[in-house]
Amino acid sequence: MDVAVRKLTLERLGLERFGAVHENLPPARLAEAAVRRREGMLAENGALVAQTGKRTGRSPKDKFIVEDDLTRDRVAWGAVNKPFSSEAFEAILEKATDYLGNLEEFYVIDAHAGADPRYRLNVQVVTEYAWHALFAKQLFRRPSREELEDFEPEWTVLSVPGFLAEPDEDGTNSETFVAVDFSRKVVLICGTGYAGEIKKSIFSVLNFVLPTEHGVFPMHCSANVGEEDDVALFFGLSGTGKTTLSADPERRLIGDDEHGWSDEGVFNFEGGCYAKTIDLSPEKEPQIYNAIRFGAVLENVGMERQSRAVDYEDRLITENTRVAYPLEYIDNSVPDGRGGHPDAVLFLTADAFGVLPPISALTPEQAAYYFLSGYTAKLAGTEADMENEVEATFSTCFGAPFLPLPATTYSTMLSEKLKEHGTRCYLINTGWSGGPYGVGSRIDISDTRRMVRAVIGGELDKAETRKDPNFGLNVPVEVPGVDASVLDPRETWADKEAYDKQAKDLAGRFAENFKKFEGEVSAEVKESGPTA
């Protein structure tokens, strides 16, 4: 981008004066800058290790959408999509840009969001941290040199962790503020060093733009493809295994976290992966482990300062330790980030209460029910302000924090896609067995991988199933390579009465949560859920 275009771009934010602008630096120079500025240190494996500060996860209570003529009648306002006035946003944006303009230096990354050229967004990330620029460089799709020559950003993400909002004056909930302005096409992130806010904000943007402007179904899922061009999608919230299970050595990775499903197939929104690293090992997750090298960014991961050896079991800062790396660090990734229409859709849940079956075949009605429910159980550290060690979470469409439109907009698009392409759907529990978190143990990843491969390979299409008495799910009696005792969660508990009590409790939570959809779905969908 030439100086004139850059100047106009920065002036769009209200910047009339500013210090040194480091634009589109390569990863090596960004890593050097982060070390020079004492933002992080290089680990023994070459990755940059940085800490996010007070906020070690997303801050959902501090996220807003600017309410104006464009959003007023389209956005599903509520606890997730909280309105913020255009005038108040403009005032905070002016203060944030004044803060940025007074810095000695800051960083700019120009990138694409979306692998399909028909639907991609040109995004410019402006941030005060070199390591945030490296994060953005690796996670968004990287334009070619030729594309950068005349790159004109449609959206700007301004990330200024050092600028703190003043709740009494600015109308925010805290010193942290994350807001999307669809009319100005600006995202403002301040008061938090958690880099995940950068990528998730653009995901929220695409979840608004793609359905309303292009009729494309946006999805919080990972995707991979086999030798027969058979595409599989993995839906699930943080910690359920999307990244782990889609990074299969026997299949090619299309993308890690966010995709669109168009009339031609699926396409990745990103150019990288953002994986959890807690308890990471080369035995269980070799592709992710081997992707952590120079150019990767480790967030809040423990490291011995003298040897620079990384400790993936270290929970001192948070359970929500992360790594960001470019997609090409996975050996068998799909460079163009695109695939055909999916043959299989898997809903992933990490049930920390230990009562859901590890695998269940879903009817179309059950698929709608469990997609709208979006259940998992989160552990402390995934989000800021969690009060309990384990919390049941029902996140609509496995991505409620990022869905600006009404839930049925997305569930209807999924149902239409499944029917149109005859895609089979399964619920996979990657959580606990033999008891809840703290008593039982996590379902072995090798067993989960065998179940997933059986689904994708069509081995369970005609398998005998049993009906789960609490959740009404169709549970395969046998899965090749998996001990049959694993498939019945009740049998894995030593205290059967405790299991029955916990299962009924969770079934009741499903029923209570689904009440808000009862007037929007068919009787068949409503009745396909758990029996409370």
Side-chain angles (χ1 to χ4, degrees):
M1 183 192 300
D2 62 33
V3 175
V5 173
R6 184 184 70 191
K7 185 172 185 293
L8 286 172
T9 300
L10 295 175
E11 285 179 349
R12 176 172 173 266
L13 286 174
L15 279 169
E16 297 178 355
R17 58 180 177 79
F18 40 83
V21 181
H22 302 291
E23 185 179 13
N24 293 320
L25 297 183
R29 292 186 61 187
L30 289 172
E32 288 175 346
V35 172
R36 170 178 59 81
R37 290 160 52 91
R38 299 182 181 274
E39 296 175 3
M41 297 186 293
L42 291 181
E44 183 181 47
N45 56 21
L48 179 71
V49 179
Q51 294 184 8
T52 63
K54 179 181 177 181
R55 304 282 178 158
T56 60
R58 291 183 298 101
S59 300
K61 294 181 181 179
D62 299 297
K63 180 182 174 184
F64 299 87
I65 294 176
V66 173
E67 182 181 13
D68 56 21
D69 290 343
L70 178 61
T71 60
R72 188 168 295 112
D73 297 325
R74 290 184 176 182
V75 170
W77 303 107
V80 172
N81 298 314
K82 297 179 290 294
F84 204 79
S85 77
S86 182
E87 294 76 18
F89 177 83
E90 185 173 6
I92 299 179
L93 180 62
E94 183 176 352
K95 292 167 67 174
T97 52
D98 283 346
Y99 171 88
L100 185 69
N102 286 316
L103 295 176
E104 292 184 359
E105 58 183 354
F106 59 86
Y107 298 83
V108 174
I109 296 295
D110 296 322
H112 292 145
D116 190 328
R118 297 178 298 169
Y119 309 118
R120 74 186 181 194
L121 296 180
N122 285 354
V123 177
Q124 184 170 79
V125 179
V126 182
T127 181
E128 65 176 303
Y129 288 171
W131 83 265
H132 275 192
L134 178 58
F135 176 93
K137 182 87 170 182
Q138 304 296 47
L139 278 190
F140 289 116
R141 300 193 68 81
R142 294 161 288 282
S144 66
R145 288 187 179 182
E146 292 75 21
E147 289 172 327
L148 285 174
E149 288 296 322
D150 57 359
F151 187 94
E152 295 186 17
E154 300 169 67
W155 277 81
T156 301
V157 178
L158 176 58
S159 176
V160 281
F163 171 71
L164 306 180
E166 301 177 69
D168 291 340
E169 180 179 324
D170 298 325
T172 62
N173 285 339
S174 74
E175 63 187 20
T176 298
F177 181 66
V178 180
V180 180
D181 187 326
F182 284 98
S183 294
R184 291 182 179 88
K185 296 187 176 180
V186 170
V187 175
L188 175 59
I189 302 168
C190 59
T192 174
Y194 182 64
E197 298 283 14
I198 297 173
K199 88 180 207 87
K200 288 301 184 184
S201 65
I202 291 299
F203 182 34
S204 298
V205 168
L206 288 166
N207 281 335
F208 182 90
V209 171
L210 290 179
T212 58
E213 297 184 9
H214 304 290
V216 171
F217 175 36
M219 306 174 291
H220 183 206
C221 69
S222 56
N224 64 24
V225 59
E227 293 182 358
E228 303 299 322
D229 292 330
D230 53 317
V231 173
L233 302 182
F234 301 78
F235 285 85
L237 301 178
S238 174
T240 59
K242 292 192 315 300
T243 301
T244 299
L245 294 171
S246 58
D248 186 335
E250 297 181 7
R251 297 172 63 80
R252 292 173 292 146
L253 182 67
I254 297 173
D256 163 57
D257 196 39
E258 299 158 2
H259 293 79
W261 190 346
S262 72
D263 55 350
E264 292 186 358
V266 301
F267 61 94
N268 191 5
F269 290 167
E270 303 175 289
C273 300
Y274 190 40
K276 293 195 74 171
T277 60
I278 199 69
D279 297 328
L280 181 69
S281 71
E283 294 78 23
K284 291 186 176 181
E285 298 168 290
Q287 289 192 304
I288 297 173
Y289 188 91
N290 293 329
I292 303 177
R293 63 185 87 155
F294 185 75
V297 180
L298 286 167
E299 272 187 344
N300 297 320
V301 175
M303 181 179 69
E304 205 284 314
R305 296 181 69 87
Q306 293 300 317
S307 68
R308 303 293 177 90
V310 173
D311 181 2
Y312 295 116
E313 297 180 359
D314 190 327
R315 289 165 163 78
L316 184 62
I317 300 175
T318 179
E319 285 263 353
N320 191 35
T321 55
R322 295 271 184 168
V323 63
Y325 52 84
L327 193 64
E328 57 263 30
Y329 281 17
I330 298 291
D331 291 336
N332 59 341
S333 62
V334 178
D336 69 357
R338 302 171 71 176
H341 296 292
D343 296 276
V345 167
L346 299 101
F347 297 158
L348 307 178
T349 179
D351 176 30
F353 298 106
V355 295
L356 279 178
I359 181 171
S360 308
L362 302 181
T363 65
E365 292 75 24
Q366 287 175 324
Y369 186 99
Y370 282 93
F371 186 63
L372 283 169
S373 297
Y375 167 73
T376 194
K378 294 192 176 191
L379 305 180
T382 302
E383 292 184 356
D385 303 322
M386 280 186 63
E387 298 179 355
N388 302 314
E389 190 175 37
V390 177
E391 290 186 2
T393 298
F394 294 92
S395 185
T396 307
C397 307
F398 297 101
F402 323 114
L403 305 181
L405 303 175
T408 51
T409 300
Y410 307 102
S411 63
T412 298
M413 296 183 89
L414 173 66
S415 296
E416 290 174 350
K417 291 291 188 183
L418 293 178
K419 292 175 183 177
E420 180 181 357
H421 301 288
T423 306
R424 51 188 178 274
C425 192
Y426 277 73
L427 178 68
I428 304 290
N429 175 22
T430 64
W432 274 254
S433 180
Y437 173 75
V439 177
S441 57
R442 194 81 187 253
I443 295 172
D444 192 281
I445 185 65
S446 60
D447 281 338
T448 301
R449 285 196 184 280
R450 291 187 187 98
M451 296 178 210
V452 168
R453 287 170 180 165
V455 170
I456 294 173
E459 298 175 66
L460 303 180
D461 288 356
K462 298 182 180 180
E464 179 186 356
T465 62
R466 66 171 183 83
K467 185 75 70 175
D468 184 276
N470 296 292
F471 300 97
L473 295 165
N474 302 301
V475 182
V477 175
E478 293 183 357
V479 175
V482 178
D483 190 321
S485 64
V486 174
L487 303 178
D488 187 345
R490 188 175 189 273
E491 292 305 309
T492 67
W493 283 52
D495 187 339
K496 303 297 190 289
E497 290 185 2
Y499 170 86
D500 293 337
K501 180 180 179 181
Q502 187 69 79
K504 290 184 182 301
D505 177 76
L506 183 58
R509 295 187 191 214
F510 268 97
E512 182 64 28
N513 171 73
F514 206 78
K515 286 181 180 179
K516 60 179 175 282
F517 302 119
E518 289 182 350
E520 306 173 45
V521 300
S522 67
E524 291 78 12
V525 171
K526 175 185 172 182
E527 294 167 1
S528 66
T531 55

